């Protein structure tokens, strides 16, 4: 009888312990983040800058958060999603460009020789993007991207690319907005490519998406005004281009910035000089099972110098494998 | 006695009539606008696009209003305010530039020969702006503009330039925002010049100010990251540059646009093709007594082709003299 009572008691204890450690607190704003220093650093920062009358209080209009896209909000391996789109567009547009059959890098794309395309490096991809992202109106381009995103699937996960966003980062975006932050995407990706899905996928409206951009020209087509995309770069929003782009578009210095690669280094360095409490974060891809593991030697999303700087300066580094309970949102 | 009664009766009638015709309705959102077709066109538009379930309803995120600055929100005569600032800066910076004493257009500015400066036209002014708006950090430039605006006075009105904003347009901005519109400034003026006062003066935050811009470069100065202004044009936000700039910064087509010169023509034309109910407005400067009267022959804020188009297409044209009860806010 005593033994039975002890057993029941222990079972109750065990259930209680399990409930305490596994079930998220009802008011946990970041339920997909494991408890620990990483999650706590985010919550501490948001709590301090929103505490009215506190020494670190920041007024809502100045709560500017700038967050990278590729590798920070969604999967960027084995190739940037926009590069996959551009390659698919070479095939889709090839009927209108017979000259591409004899002209690199298009010839290799059409022959399916992706090793040759990769060997051409960034220069080849820039040519592919310039050719496939120009000659149409901004409205037509937006439609093409939307149509592609509605059907194209990731080679490993076999789901839509917009299903490969990080659930913990969606929670972070919502948590920031619930605390009066304006959330901006600041990415090396094309601004018009991202605007085609950022509002629906991340809740970030077009006017809060900052990215690389080409020149557009205002023209009259059939007596209607249109904006036509030209194959000419206006602005590259990567590396030092990130603080330059933030200044150009927002005109304020962020107090919160998140990235995942060396292309985010200058954005984080600039944010660190915000002259009040600032938050600098990096997603470190450490989970080859659930997503990918890569950093210093990766050709996509290389994280080397920014990781050294983050470790040296005590910036928050997300260990994806250990800090995130889940990677992707539940299947729809 | 009867005469006295009639007199009292008439006096009561007169007071009643005066109250009805002069006193603004308590809920009048545009009290500085005279009643009439111009004011009514604004109120009708806002009422229709905000009526839930109505045929012209527009959801709040798409209520984008783009409004010019010089001549639309504040005085632009006899010279754009930013040009006056640039000329003052030539004098302020001349100690550091002894070469300017022998070099046009600086030589004429320093000699006070404004006729010679004017004769050099836009090219001369671009050189003056480029030279005086570069070589410093964005933070230092913002401070210089703020300091100048706190002291420089308009040659005719003898008040600060920020006191020469149009009271009816301040009411319009507030009315739009109260009805869920996001108000953007879209001006040929320099974006960083305008950001120094737009929030305080118009309630338009930095991230909603679109203007012409120079290249900025991210650099380390004394181990601190800064953005340095270079004497190189990145983007000219005027004429066709306005729809291009709106697409670049906002990524949405406005449903409401207001300007005052031919530099706003393309912005208004593009807005007119918003494929739902849209509002296009022009301020016509017709009041030489209270402000200025100018249009087709003016070298500053020329309004010629856009006026023809507005009249032909039935866009709203503000007749400043007759539509506005007051021009400027009450003196502080």
């Amino acid at each position: 009888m005593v033994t039975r009572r002890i057993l029941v008691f222990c079972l109750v204890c065990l259930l209680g312990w399990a409930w305490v450690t596994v079930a998220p607190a009802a008011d946990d704003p970041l339920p997909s983040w494991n408890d620990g220093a990483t999650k706590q650093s985010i919550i501490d920062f948001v709590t301090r800058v929103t505490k009215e009358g506190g020494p670190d209080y920041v007024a809502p209009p100045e709560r500017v958060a700038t967050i990278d896209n590729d590798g920070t909000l969604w999967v960027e391996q084995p190739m940037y999603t926009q590069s996959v789109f551009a390659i698919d567009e070479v095939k889709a547009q090839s009927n209108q460009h017979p000259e591409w059959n004899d002209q690199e890098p298009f010839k290799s794309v059409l022959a399916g020789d992706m090793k040759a395309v990769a060997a051409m490096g960034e220069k080849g991809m820039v040519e592919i993007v310039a050719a496939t992202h120009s000659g149409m109106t901004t409205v037509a381009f937006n439609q093409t991207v939307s149509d592609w995103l509605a059907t194209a699937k990731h080679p490993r996960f076999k789901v839509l690319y917009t299903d490969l966003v990080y659930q913990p980062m969606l929670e972070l975006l919502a948590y920031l907005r619930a605390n009066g932050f304006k959330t901006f995407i600041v990415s090396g990706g094309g601004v018009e490519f991202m605007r085609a899905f950022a509002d629906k996928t991340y809740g970030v409206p077009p006017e809060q998406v900052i990215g690389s951009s080409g020149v557009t020209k205002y023209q009259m087509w059939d007596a209607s005004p249109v904006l036509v995309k030209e194959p000419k770069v206006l602005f590259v929003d990567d590396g030092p281009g990130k603080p330059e782009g933030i200044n150009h578009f927002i005109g304020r210095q962020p107090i919160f910035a998140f990235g995942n690669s060396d292309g985010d280094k200058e954005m984080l360095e600039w944010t660190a000089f915000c002259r009040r409490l600032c938050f600098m974060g990096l997603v470190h891809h450490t989970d080859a099972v659930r997503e990918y593991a890569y950093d210093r030697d990766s050709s996509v999303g290389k994280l080397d110098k920014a990781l050294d700087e983050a470790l040296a300066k005590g910036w928050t580094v997300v260990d994806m494998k250990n800090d995130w309970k889940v990677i992707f949102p539940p299947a729809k």
Side-chain angles (χ1 to χ4, degrees), chain A:
Chain A
M1 195 65 188
V2 170
T3 314
R4 203 171 151 191
R5 270 192 196 161
I6 289 171
L7 264 177
V8 169
F9 177 77
C10 285
L11 193 65
V12 169
C13 287
L14 197 69
L15 285 171
W17 172 82
W19 185 84
V20 166
T21 54
V22 174
D27 59 351
D28 184 350
L30 302 172
S32 298
W33 294 68
N34 283 314
D35 290 330
T38 302
K39 178 174 179 171
Q40 203 54 48
S41 72
I42 297 170
I43 292 175
D44 282 351
F45 171 78
V46 171
T47 305
R48 286 169 67 183
V49 297
T50 55
K51 188 180 166 56
E52 279 191 62
D56 299 313
Y57 179 73
V58 176
E62 290 167 20
R63 292 182 201 158
V64 170
T66 57
I67 298 155
D68 172 57
N69 183 41
D70 296 307
T72 303
L73 292 178
W74 75 351
V75 169
E76 65 182 351
Q77 294 285 359
M79 188 187 270
Y80 294 123
T81 306
Q82 190 175 358
S83 300
V84 183
F85 165 76
I87 284 167
D88 281 0
E89 277 300 293
V90 169
K91 296 168 193 163
Q93 296 178 21
S94 62
N95 283 343
Q96 301 147 49
H97 294 278
E99 75 279 12
W100 284 354
N101 287 308
D102 306 306
Q103 190 183 323
E104 291 294 6
F106 311 101
K107 186 180 168 184
S108 293
V109 171
L110 293 172
D113 186 354
M114 294 314 296
K115 276 192 184 164
V117 176
M120 287 175 240
E122 199 181 316
K123 190 176 164 289
M125 192 47 72
V126 167
E127 276 184 60
I128 290 169
V129 169
T132 55
H133 288 47
S134 62
M136 71 289 282
T137 68
T138 51
V139 173
F141 180 76
N142 183 293
Q143 190 59 53
T144 304
V145 176
S146 299
D147 292 346
W148 184 84
L149 285 171
T151 54
K153 298 209 168 166
H154 188 275
R156 173 178 158 194
F157 294 103
K158 317 289 184 201
V159 297
L160 300 180
Y161 287 92
T162 47
D163 290 335
L164 295 177
V165 296
Y166 305 132
Q167 175 64 20
M169 294 303 284
L170 295 181
E171 291 168 9
L172 175 61
L173 288 172
Y175 177 50
L176 290 169
R177 290 195 287 260
N179 281 280
F181 280 79
K182 212 171 200 176
T183 52
F184 292 84
I185 291 175
V186 178
S187 169
V191 67
E192 305 203 50
F193 182 81
M194 291 187 288
R195 281 173 175 164
F197 67 93
D199 202 354
K200 195 174 159 195
T201 306
Y202 304 129
V204 177
E207 63 269 26
Q208 285 163 227
V209 178
I210 300 168
S212 298
S213 55
V215 170
T216 60
K217 281 288 169 201
Y218 178 83
Q219 295 181 4
M220 296 300 279
W221 281 14
D222 297 331
S224 296
V226 290
L227 290 160
V228 181
K229 288 172 68 63
E230 301 210 328
K232 192 177 165 191
V233 171
L234 175 65
F235 184 72
V236 178
D237 189 58
D238 198 33
K242 289 207 174 191
E244 290 161 14
I246 293 167
N247 176 66
H248 182 51
F249 279 78
I250 310 178
R252 301 189 199 256
Q253 198 163 356
I255 63 167
F256 182 102
F258 229 110
N260 80 301
S261 77
D262 283 358
D264 300 305
K265 190 171 81 76
E266 287 81 359
M267 174 170 77
L268 297 171
E269 283 171 350
W270 190 51
T271 302
F273 274 78
C274 82
R275 290 181 180 77
R276 47 185 142 187
L277 195 67
C278 331
F279 181 96
M280 286 67 62
L282 278 173
V283 175
H284 188 193
H285 293 262
T286 53
D287 195 330
V289 176
R290 296 187 299 171
E291 203 243 7
Y292 293 93
Y294 59 99
D295 47 35
R296 299 182 194 275
D297 299 321
S298 180
S299 61
V300 170
K302 178 178 178 170
L303 175 62
D304 182 30
K305 288 181 184 169
L307 184 58
D308 290 340
E309 193 166 346
L311 296 173
K313 295 184 175 171
W315 298 346
T316 292
V317 179
V318 173
D319 175 347
M320 185 181 270
K321 188 175 175 181
N322 293 306
D323 285 327
W324 287 358
K325 282 184 198 161
V326 297
I327 308 290
F328 304 120
K332 288 164 195 161

